[in-house]
Amino acid sequence: MITAAHRIRSGDDFRRVFKAGVRVRSDHLMAHSLIDSDDSHAARVGFIVSKAVGNAVRRNRVKRRLREIMRVRLDSLDPGALFVIRALPQAAEAEFSVLESEVTMLMDKALKKLESRGRRT
């Protein structure tokens, strides 16, 4: 389970990540990432799974899978990092291992993109 200290819950934080952060995409997921200049907080993660993914059962299954994937990867994020994963409609049909590899790839791509742009707010 991801603790409250590691979750993005504020709409303002989500908007800030979308506006000032970087975006990367894979076949089933899209990720937005930002490294906050105030790195006093732990790395935080947010999830967006819209109704386009499917009914409540499918959406909740995708969310549970993404939470578990990120739970074991939280230590690899820098303090102050904000990372939002948006599930695309195809994510409902994807296997756990596929989502897992895509999240790892998205984290790497987002980190490289952030470093190349020097994005800090």
Coordinates of all heavy atoms in Angstrom, one line a residue, residues 45-91:
V45 N 3.2 10.1 -5.8 CA 2.6 9.5 -7.0 C 1.1 9.7 -7.1 O 0.4 9.6 -6.0 CB 2.9 7.9 -7.1 CG1 2.4 7.3 -8.3 CG2 4.4 7.7 -6.9
G46 N 0.6 9.9 -8.3 CA -0.9 10.0 -8.5 C -1.3 9.2 -9.7 O -0.5 8.9 -10.6
F47 N -2.5 8.8 -9.7 CA -3.1 7.9 -10.7 C -4.3 8.5 -11.3 O -5.2 9.0 -10.6 CB -3.3 6.5 -10.2 CG -2.2 5.9 -9.6 CD1 -2.0 5.9 -8.2 CD2 -1.2 5.3 -10.4 CE1 -0.9 5.3 -7.6 CE2 -0.1 4.7 -9.8 CZ 0.1 4.7 -8.4
I48 N -4.5 8.4 -12.6 CA -5.7 8.9 -13.3 C -6.2 7.7 -14.1 O -5.5 7.3 -15.1 CB -5.5 10.1 -14.1 CG1 -5.0 11.3 -13.3 CG2 -6.8 10.5 -14.9 CD1 -4.6 12.5 -14.0
V49 N -7.4 7.2 -13.8 CA -8.0 6.1 -14.6 C -9.4 6.5 -14.9 O -10.3 6.4 -14.1 CB -7.9 4.8 -13.8 CG1 -8.5 3.6 -14.7 CG2 -6.5 4.4 -13.4
S50 N -9.6 7.0 -16.1 CA -10.9 7.5 -16.5 C -11.9 6.4 -16.9 O -11.6 5.3 -17.1 CB -10.8 8.5 -17.7 OG -10.5 7.8 -18.8
K51 N -13.2 6.8 -17.1 CA -14.2 5.9 -17.5 C -14.0 5.3 -18.9 O -14.5 4.3 -19.3 CB -15.6 6.6 -17.5 CG -16.1 6.8 -16.1 CD -17.5 7.3 -16.1 CE -18.0 7.5 -14.7 NZ -19.4 8.0 -14.6
A52 N -13.1 6.0 -19.7 CA -12.8 5.4 -21.0 C -12.0 4.1 -20.9 O -12.0 3.3 -21.8 CB -11.9 6.4 -21.7
V53 N -11.4 3.8 -19.7 CA -10.7 2.5 -19.5 C -11.7 1.4 -19.4 O -11.4 0.3 -19.8 CB -9.8 2.6 -18.3 CG1 -9.2 1.3 -17.9 CG2 -8.7 3.7 -18.5
G54 N -12.9 1.6 -18.9 CA -13.9 0.6 -18.8 C -14.8 0.8 -17.6 O -14.8 1.9 -17.0
N55 N -15.5 -0.2 -17.2 CA -16.4 -0.1 -16.1 C -15.7 0.0 -14.8 O -14.4 -0.1 -14.8 CB -17.5 -1.2 -16.1 CG -16.9 -2.6 -15.9 OD1 -15.7 -2.7 -15.5 ND2 -17.6 -3.6 -16.3
A56 N -16.3 0.1 -13.6 CA -15.7 0.2 -12.3 C -14.7 -0.9 -12.0 O -13.7 -0.7 -11.4 CB -16.7 0.4 -11.2
V57 N -15.1 -2.1 -12.4 CA -14.3 -3.3 -12.1 C -13.0 -3.2 -12.8 O -11.9 -3.4 -12.3 CB -15.0 -4.6 -12.5 CG1 -14.1 -5.8 -12.3 CG2 -16.3 -4.8 -11.6
R58 N -13.0 -2.9 -14.1 CA -11.8 -2.7 -14.9 C -10.9 -1.6 -14.4 O -9.7 -1.7 -14.3 CB -12.1 -2.5 -16.4 CG -12.6 -3.7 -17.1 CD -13.0 -3.4 -18.5 NE -13.5 -4.6 -19.2 CZ -12.8 -5.2 -20.2 NH1 -11.7 -4.6 -20.6 NH2 -13.2 -6.3 -20.7
R59 N -11.6 -0.4 -14.1 CA -10.8 0.8 -13.7 C -10.1 0.4 -12.3 O -8.9 0.8 -12.2 CB -11.7 2.0 -13.5 CG -12.3 2.5 -14.8 CD -12.9 3.9 -14.6 NE -13.9 4.0 -13.5 CZ -15.2 3.8 -13.6 NH1 -15.7 3.4 -14.8 NH2 -16.0 3.9 -12.6
N60 N -10.8 -0.2 -11.4 CA -10.2 -0.5 -10.1 C -9.1 -1.5 -10.3 O -8.1 -1.5 -9.6 CB -11.3 -1.0 -9.1 CG -12.1 0.2 -8.7 OD1 -11.6 1.3 -8.5 ND2 -13.4 -0.1 -8.4
R61 N -9.2 -2.5 -11.2 CA -8.2 -3.5 -11.4 C -6.9 -2.8 -11.9 O -5.8 -3.0 -11.5 CB -8.6 -4.5 -12.4 CG -7.5 -5.6 -12.6 CD -7.9 -6.7 -13.6 NE -9.2 -7.3 -13.3 CZ -10.2 -7.4 -14.1 NH1 -10.1 -6.9 -15.4 NH2 -11.4 -7.9 -13.8
V62 N -7.1 -1.9 -12.9 CA -5.9 -1.1 -13.4 C -5.3 -0.3 -12.3 O -4.1 -0.3 -12.2 CB -6.4 -0.2 -14.6 CG1 -5.3 0.7 -15.0 CG2 -6.8 -1.1 -15.8
K63 N -6.1 0.4 -11.5 CA -5.5 1.2 -10.4 C -4.8 0.3 -9.4 O -3.7 0.7 -8.9 CB -6.7 1.9 -9.6 CG -7.1 3.2 -10.3 CD -8.1 4.0 -9.5 CE -9.4 3.5 -9.7 NZ -10.5 4.3 -9.1
R64 N -5.3 -0.8 -9.0 CA -4.6 -1.7 -8.1 C -3.3 -2.2 -8.7 O -2.3 -2.2 -8.0 CB -5.5 -2.9 -7.8 CG -6.6 -2.6 -6.8 CD -7.2 -3.9 -6.3 NE -7.6 -4.8 -7.3 CZ -8.8 -4.9 -7.9 NH1 -9.8 -4.0 -7.5 NH2 -9.1 -5.7 -8.8
R65 N -3.3 -2.5 -9.9 CA -2.0 -2.9 -10.6 C -1.0 -1.8 -10.6 O 0.2 -2.0 -10.2 CB -2.3 -3.4 -12.0 CG -3.0 -4.7 -12.1 CD -3.3 -5.1 -13.5 NE -3.9 -6.5 -13.5 CZ -4.2 -7.1 -14.6 NH1 -4.1 -6.5 -15.8 NH2 -4.7 -8.3 -14.6
L66 N -1.4 -0.6 -11.0 CA -0.5 0.5 -11.0 C 0.0 0.9 -9.6 O 1.2 1.2 -9.5 CB -1.2 1.7 -11.7 CG -1.5 1.6 -13.2 CD1 -2.3 2.8 -13.7 CD2 -0.2 1.4 -14.0
R67 N -0.8 0.8 -8.6 CA -0.4 1.1 -7.3 C 0.7 0.1 -6.8 O 1.7 0.5 -6.2 CB -1.6 1.1 -6.3 CG -2.3 2.4 -6.3 CD -3.2 2.5 -5.1 NE -4.2 1.5 -5.0 CZ -5.5 1.5 -5.4 NH1 -6.0 2.7 -5.8 NH2 -6.3 0.5 -5.3
E68 N 0.5 -1.1 -7.1 CA 1.4 -2.1 -6.7 C 2.8 -2.0 -7.4 O 3.8 -2.1 -6.8 CB 0.9 -3.5 -6.9 CG 1.8 -4.7 -6.6 CD 2.3 -4.7 -5.2 OE1 1.7 -4.1 -4.3 OE2 3.4 -5.2 -4.9
I69 N 2.7 -1.7 -8.7 CA 3.9 -1.4 -9.5 C 4.7 -0.3 -8.9 O 5.9 -0.3 -8.8 CB 3.5 -1.2 -11.0 CG1 3.0 -2.5 -11.6 CG2 4.7 -0.7 -11.8 CD1 2.3 -2.3 -12.9
M70 N 4.0 0.8 -8.6 CA 4.7 2.0 -8.1 C 5.1 1.8 -6.6 O 6.1 2.4 -6.2 CB 3.8 3.2 -8.2 CG 3.7 3.8 -9.6 SD 5.3 4.0 -10.4 CE 6.0 5.2 -9.3
R71 N 4.5 1.0 -5.8 CA 4.8 0.8 -4.4 C 6.3 0.3 -4.3 O 7.0 0.8 -3.5 CB 3.9 -0.2 -3.8 CG 4.2 -0.4 -2.3 CD 3.3 -1.5 -1.7 NE 3.5 -2.8 -2.3 CZ 4.5 -3.6 -2.0 NH1 5.4 -3.2 -1.0 NH2 4.7 -4.8 -2.5
V72 N 6.6 -0.6 -5.2 CA 8.0 -1.2 -5.1 C 9.0 -0.3 -5.8 O 10.2 -0.5 -5.6 CB 8.0 -2.6 -5.7 CG1 7.2 -3.5 -4.9 CG2 7.7 -2.6 -7.2
R73 N 8.6 0.7 -6.5 CA 9.5 1.6 -7.2 C 9.6 3.0 -6.6 O 10.3 3.9 -7.1 CB 9.1 1.8 -8.7 CG 9.3 0.6 -9.5 CD 8.7 0.6 -10.8 NE 9.0 -0.5 -11.6 CZ 8.6 -1.8 -11.4 NH1 7.8 -2.0 -10.4 NH2 9.0 -2.8 -12.2
L74 N 8.9 3.3 -5.5 CA 9.0 4.6 -4.9 C 10.4 5.0 -4.4 O 10.7 6.2 -4.5 CB 8.0 4.6 -3.7 CG 6.6 4.9 -3.9 CD1 5.8 4.8 -2.7 CD2 6.4 6.3 -4.5
D75 N 11.2 4.0 -4.0 CA 12.5 4.3 -3.6 C 13.4 4.8 -4.7 O 14.4 5.5 -4.5 CB 13.2 3.1 -2.9 CG 12.5 2.7 -1.6 OD1 11.8 3.6 -1.0 OD2 12.5 1.6 -1.2
S76 N 13.1 4.5 -5.9 CA 13.9 4.9 -7.1 C 13.6 6.4 -7.5 O 14.3 6.9 -8.3 CB 13.7 4.0 -8.2 OG 12.4 4.0 -8.7
L77 N 12.5 7.0 -7.0 CA 12.2 8.4 -7.3 C 13.0 9.3 -6.3 O 13.1 9.0 -5.1 CB 10.7 8.6 -7.2 CG 9.9 7.9 -8.2 CD1 8.4 8.2 -7.9 CD2 10.2 8.5 -9.6
D78 N 13.4 10.4 -6.8 CA 14.1 11.4 -6.0 C 13.1 12.1 -5.0 O 12.0 12.2 -5.3 CB 14.7 12.5 -6.8 CG 15.8 12.0 -7.7 OD1 16.5 11.0 -7.3 OD2 16.1 12.5 -8.8
P79 N 13.6 12.5 -3.8 CA 12.8 13.3 -3.0 C 12.3 14.6 -3.7 O 13.0 15.2 -4.5 CB 13.7 13.7 -1.8 CG 14.8 12.7 -1.8 CD 14.9 12.3 -3.3
G80 N 11.0 14.9 -3.5 CA 10.4 16.1 -4.2 C 9.9 15.7 -5.6 O 9.3 16.6 -6.2
A81 N 10.0 14.5 -6.1 CA 9.5 14.1 -7.4 C 8.0 13.9 -7.3 O 7.5 13.4 -6.3 CB 10.2 12.8 -7.8
L82 N 7.3 14.4 -8.3 CA 5.9 14.2 -8.5 C 5.7 13.4 -9.8 O 6.2 13.8 -10.8 CB 5.2 15.5 -8.6 CG 5.3 16.4 -7.3 CD1 4.7 17.8 -7.7 CD2 4.6 15.9 -6.1
F83 N 5.0 12.3 -9.7 CA 4.9 11.4 -10.8 C 3.4 11.0 -11.0 O 2.8 10.4 -10.0 CB 5.8 10.2 -10.6 CG 6.0 9.3 -11.9 CD1 6.8 9.8 -12.9 CD2 5.4 8.1 -12.0 CE1 7.0 9.0 -14.0 CE2 5.6 7.3 -13.1 CZ 6.4 7.8 -14.1
V84 N 2.8 11.3 -12.1 CA 1.3 11.0 -12.3 C 1.3 10.0 -13.5 O 1.8 10.3 -14.5 CB 0.5 12.3 -12.6 CG1 -0.9 11.9 -13.0 CG2 0.6 13.3 -11.5
I85 N 0.5 9.0 -13.3 CA 0.3 8.0 -14.3 C -1.1 8.0 -14.7 O -2.0 7.9 -13.9 CB 0.7 6.5 -13.8 CG1 2.1 6.5 -13.4 CG2 0.4 5.5 -14.9 CD1 2.5 5.1 -12.8
R86 N -1.3 8.2 -16.1 CA -2.7 8.2 -16.6 C -2.8 6.9 -17.5 O -2.0 6.7 -18.4 CB -2.8 9.4 -17.5 CG -4.2 9.5 -18.2 CD -4.2 10.7 -19.1 NE -3.8 11.9 -18.5 CZ -4.6 13.0 -18.4 NH1 -5.8 13.0 -18.9 NH2 -4.2 14.1 -17.8
A87 N -3.8 6.2 -17.1 CA -4.1 4.9 -17.9 C -4.9 5.2 -19.1 O -5.9 5.9 -19.1 CB -4.9 3.9 -17.0
L88 N -4.4 4.7 -20.2 CA -5.1 4.9 -21.5 C -6.1 3.7 -21.6 O -6.0 2.7 -20.9 CB -4.1 4.9 -22.7 CG -3.1 6.0 -22.6 CD1 -2.0 5.8 -23.7 CD2 -3.7 7.4 -22.7
P89 N -7.1 3.8 -22.5 CA -8.1 2.8 -22.6 C -7.6 1.4 -22.8 O -8.1 0.4 -22.3 CB -9.0 3.2 -23.7 CG -8.9 4.7 -23.7 CD -7.5 5.0 -23.3
Q90 N -6.4 1.3 -23.5 CA -5.8 0.0 -23.8 C -5.3 -0.7 -22.5 O -5.0 -1.9 -22.5 CB -4.7 0.1 -24.8 CG -5.0 0.8 -26.1 CD -4.9 2.3 -26.0 OE1 -5.5 2.9 -25.2 NE2 -4.1 2.8 -26.9
A91 N -5.1 0.0 -21.4 CA -4.5 -0.5 -20.2 C -5.4 -1.6 -19.6 O -4.8 -2.5 -18.9 CB -4.2 0.6 -19.2

